[in-house]
Amino acid sequence: MECPKEPLESQCSLSEMDDFDLTRALDKPRLKIERKRSFDERSMSELSTGYSRHDLDMAHSPGSRSFVDTPLSYVRNSFEPHPMVAEAWEALRRSMVFFRGQPVGTIAAYDHASEEVLNYDQVFVRDFVPSALAFLMNGEPDIVKNFLLKTLQLQGWEKRVDRFKLGEGVMPASFKVLHDPVRKTDTIVADFGESAIGRVAPVDSGFWWIILLRAYTKSTGDLTLSETPECQRGIRLILSLCLSEGFDTFPTLLCADGCSMVDRRMGVYGYPIEIQALFFMALRSALSMLKHDEEGREFIEKIVKRLHALSFHMRNYFWLDFQQLNDIYRYKTEEYSHTAVNKFNVMPDSIPDWVFDFMPLRGGYFVGNVSPARMDFRWFSLGNCVAILSSLATPDQSMAIMDLLEHRWEELVGEMPLKICYPCIESHEWRIVTGCDPKNTRWSYHNGGSWPVLLWMLTAACIKTGRPQIARRAIDLIESRLHRDCWPEYYDGKLGRYVGKQARKYQTWSIAGYLVAKMMLEDPSHIGMISLEEDKQMKPVLKRSASWTC
Ligand code: GLC
């Protein structure tokens, strides 16, 4: 596919605008300026005064269609959509995948210019989430329902890697629909990790599936799907993989490198923040959907206990701010017994130099990983945003994360939102940690690359914390480049200035992420689908940071 060379404004033909028929009514140049201004005033004053968190969680009234429909909402808010929006919708629809005539998902990338397809012609569970949210926000829930049911069926397959059988509840990383034009039949092949690089099963897929089921239910008000015995069983199977008792001494979930969005070796093994935050969110989402029947009750009890322990562990041991960094810096080591302060025997010498300069006096974040004698001090965007959305972060911690983002804008956002992690690893460390991976060289791909898809999570976190101006700044950056660069998968470089070395073009989740961010900012009540209120029973025991009370 050719990259458009003309200016944006000339790109939208009438047929492209079909999805936006109501916006066409606004097509009078003089009005355009006034409308734009009135939206800016409305959104900024309304949003920055902040909604109460309760309002945001509740505002998305189930079943309501009047404001989930994009064209209608544009009219209501009286502003003209950015021309990129129409193009994004068109590209998103082009990526739809059909199974026996029904839409069941979106492919990862529709990049015809690229010769290698690799596995980008598949429907990835994690990649479909922003597409699903875009469709839900636009009042088109069918594709989401079909996707949930199709993946539920795939969960029922027997899964093997060589001679080893995987747990029953594992959800696929991706699936592909094969069309046989002669026999006129459609079949599905799915990947549970048995053909993925490194042969790792996706731990995040099941969590995203539960989170999406809740989003569907919240958005449509249709309880009949989540209440079916099949969905209830699906939820229980996913959870039974994570809630079984064993050798664990921590409530966090132990996993292998490459089992989530970062699906190659990157030192993201053990207890990575991305998995812990998604685990927490999935547990809370499941709690709201599980029936209180005999089987359900058993799980509900386990979930409540786990949430309690997990939130304590994360809020205390994963949290890092100036004060906590100073405490770790002064830690004694080799402490035995219950009185130990340095419980995991972290060696102060293992604190990397960069973190001392990076840490502002005000602000904080959940570190990448905590395990015996190993703290990964890297910042990971997805885990921190999901921690805010799920209320794994306390309100003070959520504010501190946003403070950090503002303070370290150049490092974490730069010229293209948003760094997947910060900082990159290089030289000897890169050799050891990635196994010399040429795709994950410094400031590229998973190693400090910038991923536009993360914009929707940042926007949601901004709205939840009442700081939409931060999201607006990030969206402005995206709008200055993403379309011009043909919606790449990721950007490279310290500032995220260069289109990624091996980035796909027309990457679906870059497209959908942008749409979701726009729709949420325009109508913040959408956030109720993907955000959970603070649970007052899970208060933190320790309050460590000065920045929390500043
Ligand atoms: C890459 C990403 C992974 C994504 C897949 C499809 O492998 O690392 O997170 O799901 O591409 O876009």
CSV table of all heavy atoms in Angstrom, one decimal, residues 108-109 119-120 124 126-127 260-264 439 445-446 451 489 507 509, ligand 1:
chain,number,residue,atom,x,y,z
A,108,ALA,N,-3.4,-8.2,12.7
A,108,ALA,CA,-2.4,-7.4,13.4
A,108,ALA,C,-1.9,-6.2,12.6
A,108,ALA,O,-1.8,-5.1,13.0
A,108,ALA,CB,-1.2,-8.2,13.9
A,109,ALA,N,-1.7,-6.5,11.3
A,109,ALA,CA,-1.2,-5.4,10.4
A,109,ALA,C,-1.7,-5.7,9.0
A,109,ALA,O,-1.6,-6.9,8.5
A,109,ALA,CB,0.3,-5.3,10.4
A,119,ASN,N,3.8,-13.3,11.3
A,119,ASN,CA,2.5,-13.7,11.8
A,119,ASN,C,1.5,-12.5,11.9
A,119,ASN,O,0.6,-12.5,12.7
A,119,ASN,CB,2.6,-14.4,13.1
A,119,ASN,CG,3.4,-13.6,14.1
A,119,ASN,OD1,3.9,-12.6,13.8
A,119,ASN,ND2,3.6,-14.2,15.3
A,120,TYR,N,1.8,-11.4,11.2
A,120,TYR,CA,1.0,-10.2,11.3
A,120,TYR,C,-0.3,-10.3,10.6
A,120,TYR,O,-1.1,-9.4,10.6
A,120,TYR,CB,1.8,-9.0,10.8
A,120,TYR,CG,2.8,-8.6,11.8
A,120,TYR,CD1,4.1,-9.1,11.8
A,120,TYR,CD2,2.6,-7.6,12.8
A,120,TYR,CE1,5.1,-8.7,12.7
A,120,TYR,CE2,3.5,-7.2,13.7
A,120,TYR,CZ,4.8,-7.8,13.7
A,120,TYR,OH,5.7,-7.4,14.6
A,124,PHE,N,-4.4,-11.3,16.9
A,124,PHE,CA,-3.8,-11.4,18.2
A,124,PHE,C,-4.8,-11.0,19.2
A,124,PHE,O,-5.5,-10.0,19.1
A,124,PHE,CB,-2.6,-10.6,18.3
A,124,PHE,CG,-1.3,-11.2,17.7
A,124,PHE,CD1,-1.2,-11.2,16.3
A,124,PHE,CD2,-0.4,-11.8,18.5
A,124,PHE,CE1,0.0,-11.8,15.8
A,124,PHE,CE2,0.8,-12.4,18.0
A,124,PHE,CZ,0.9,-12.4,16.6
A,126,ARG,N,-4.3,-9.8,22.3
A,126,ARG,CA,-3.9,-8.5,22.9
A,126,ARG,C,-4.1,-7.4,21.9
A,126,ARG,O,-4.5,-6.3,22.3
A,126,ARG,CB,-2.5,-8.5,23.5
A,126,ARG,CG,-1.4,-8.5,22.5
A,126,ARG,CD,0.0,-8.5,23.2
A,126,ARG,NE,0.3,-9.7,23.9
A,126,ARG,CZ,1.0,-10.8,23.3
A,126,ARG,NH1,1.3,-10.7,22.0
A,126,ARG,NH2,1.3,-11.9,23.9
A,127,ASP,N,-3.8,-7.6,20.7
A,127,ASP,CA,-3.9,-6.6,19.7
A,127,ASP,C,-5.4,-6.2,19.4
A,127,ASP,O,-5.7,-5.1,19.0
A,127,ASP,CB,-3.3,-7.0,18.3
A,127,ASP,CG,-1.8,-7.2,18.4
A,127,ASP,OD1,-1.3,-7.7,19.3
A,127,ASP,OD2,-1.1,-6.7,17.4
A,260,SER,N,4.0,-11.9,27.2
A,260,SER,CA,3.0,-10.8,27.1
A,260,SER,C,3.4,-9.9,25.9
A,260,SER,O,3.9,-10.4,25.0
A,260,SER,CB,3.0,-10.0,28.4
A,260,SER,OG,4.3,-9.4,28.7
A,261,MET,N,3.0,-8.7,26.0
A,261,MET,CA,3.3,-7.8,24.8
A,261,MET,C,4.7,-7.8,24.4
A,261,MET,O,5.1,-7.9,23.2
A,261,MET,CB,2.9,-6.4,25.2
A,261,MET,CG,3.2,-5.4,24.1
A,261,MET,SD,2.7,-3.7,24.6
A,261,MET,CE,3.2,-2.8,23.1
A,262,VAL,N,5.6,-7.8,25.4
A,262,VAL,CA,7.0,-8.0,25.1
A,262,VAL,C,7.3,-9.5,24.9
A,262,VAL,O,7.5,-10.3,25.9
A,262,VAL,CB,7.9,-7.5,26.3
A,262,VAL,CG1,9.4,-7.7,26.0
A,262,VAL,CG2,7.6,-6.0,26.5
A,263,ASP,N,7.1,-10.0,23.7
A,263,ASP,CA,7.1,-11.4,23.5
A,263,ASP,C,8.4,-12.0,23.0
A,263,ASP,O,8.4,-13.0,22.3
A,263,ASP,CB,5.9,-11.8,22.5
A,263,ASP,CG,6.0,-11.1,21.2
A,263,ASP,OD1,6.9,-10.3,21.0
A,263,ASP,OD2,5.0,-11.3,20.4
A,264,ARG,N,9.5,-11.4,23.3
A,264,ARG,CA,10.8,-11.9,23.1
A,264,ARG,C,11.6,-11.7,24.3
A,264,ARG,O,11.3,-10.9,25.2
A,264,ARG,CB,11.5,-11.2,21.9
A,264,ARG,CG,10.8,-11.2,20.6
A,264,ARG,CD,11.3,-10.1,19.7
A,264,ARG,NE,12.6,-10.5,19.1
A,264,ARG,CZ,12.7,-11.1,18.0
A,264,ARG,NH1,11.6,-11.4,17.2
A,264,ARG,NH2,13.9,-11.4,17.5
A,439,LYS,N,16.7,-7.6,16.9
A,439,LYS,CA,15.5,-6.8,16.8
A,439,LYS,C,15.3,-5.8,18.0
A,439,LYS,O,14.7,-4.8,17.9
A,439,LYS,CB,14.3,-7.7,16.7
A,439,LYS,CG,13.0,-7.0,16.1
A,439,LYS,CD,12.0,-8.0,15.6
A,439,LYS,CE,10.8,-7.2,15.1
A,439,LYS,NZ,9.6,-8.0,14.6
A,445,TYR,N,12.2,-1.2,19.2
A,445,TYR,CA,11.2,-2.3,19.5
A,445,TYR,C,10.9,-2.4,20.9
A,445,TYR,O,10.4,-1.5,21.6
A,445,TYR,CB,11.7,-3.6,18.9
A,445,TYR,CG,10.7,-4.7,18.6
A,445,TYR,CD1,9.5,-4.4,17.9
A,445,TYR,CD2,10.9,-6.0,19.0
A,445,TYR,CE1,8.6,-5.4,17.6
A,445,TYR,CE2,10.0,-7.0,18.7
A,445,TYR,CZ,8.8,-6.7,18.0
A,445,TYR,OH,7.9,-7.7,17.8
A,446,HIS,N,11.1,-3.6,21.5
A,446,HIS,CA,10.8,-3.7,23.0
A,446,HIS,C,11.8,-3.1,23.9
A,446,HIS,O,11.6,-3.0,25.1
A,446,HIS,CB,10.7,-5.2,23.4
A,446,HIS,CG,9.6,-6.0,22.6
A,446,HIS,ND1,9.8,-7.3,22.2
A,446,HIS,CD2,8.4,-5.6,22.2
A,446,HIS,CE1,8.8,-7.7,21.5
A,446,HIS,NE2,7.9,-6.7,21.5
A,451,TRP,N,5.7,3.0,21.2
A,451,TRP,CA,4.6,2.3,20.6
A,451,TRP,C,3.3,3.1,20.7
A,451,TRP,O,2.7,3.3,21.8
A,451,TRP,CB,4.4,1.0,21.4
A,451,TRP,CG,5.5,0.0,21.2
A,451,TRP,CD1,6.8,0.1,21.6
A,451,TRP,CD2,5.4,-1.3,20.5
A,451,TRP,NE1,7.5,-1.0,21.2
A,451,TRP,CE2,6.7,-1.9,20.5
A,451,TRP,CE3,4.3,-2.0,19.9
A,451,TRP,CZ2,6.9,-3.1,20.0
A,451,TRP,CZ3,4.6,-3.2,19.3
A,451,TRP,CH2,5.9,-3.8,19.3
A,489,GLU,N,4.0,0.4,13.5
A,489,GLU,CA,3.9,-0.4,14.8
A,489,GLU,C,4.6,0.2,15.9
A,489,GLU,O,4.1,0.3,17.0
A,489,GLU,CB,4.4,-1.8,14.4
A,489,GLU,CG,4.4,-2.8,15.6
A,489,GLU,CD,5.1,-4.1,15.2
A,489,GLU,OE1,5.9,-4.1,14.2
A,489,GLU,OE2,5.0,-5.1,15.8
A,507,GLN,N,-0.4,-0.8,11.2
A,507,GLN,CA,-0.5,-1.7,12.3
A,507,GLN,C,-1.8,-1.4,13.0
A,507,GLN,O,-2.1,-0.3,13.4
A,507,GLN,CB,0.7,-1.5,13.3
A,507,GLN,CG,0.7,-2.4,14.5
A,507,GLN,CD,1.2,-3.8,14.2
A,507,GLN,OE1,1.9,-4.0,13.2
A,507,GLN,NE2,0.9,-4.7,15.1
A,509,TRP,N,-3.3,-2.1,15.8
A,509,TRP,CA,-3.5,-1.5,17.2
A,509,TRP,C,-3.0,-0.1,17.3
A,509,TRP,O,-3.4,0.7,18.2
A,509,TRP,CB,-3.1,-2.4,18.3
A,509,TRP,CG,-1.6,-2.8,18.5
A,509,TRP,CD1,-0.6,-2.3,17.7
A,509,TRP,CD2,-1.1,-3.6,19.5
A,509,TRP,NE1,0.6,-2.9,18.2
A,509,TRP,CE2,0.3,-3.7,19.3
A,509,TRP,CE3,-1.6,-4.4,20.5
A,509,TRP,CZ2,1.1,-4.4,20.1
A,509,TRP,CZ3,-0.8,-5.1,21.4
A,509,TRP,CH2,0.6,-5.1,21.1
B,1,GLC,C1,4.8,-8.2,18.2
B,1,GLC,C2,4.5,-7.6,19.5
B,1,GLC,C3,3.3,-8.3,20.2
B,1,GLC,C4,2.1,-8.2,19.2
B,1,GLC,C5,2.5,-8.8,17.9
B,1,GLC,C6,1.4,-8.6,16.8
B,1,GLC,O1,5.2,-9.6,18.3
B,1,GLC,O2,5.6,-7.8,20.4
B,1,GLC,O3,3.0,-7.7,21.4
B,1,GLC,O4,1.0,-8.8,19.8
B,1,GLC,O5,3.6,-8.2,17.4
B,1,GLC,O6,1.2,-7.2,16.6
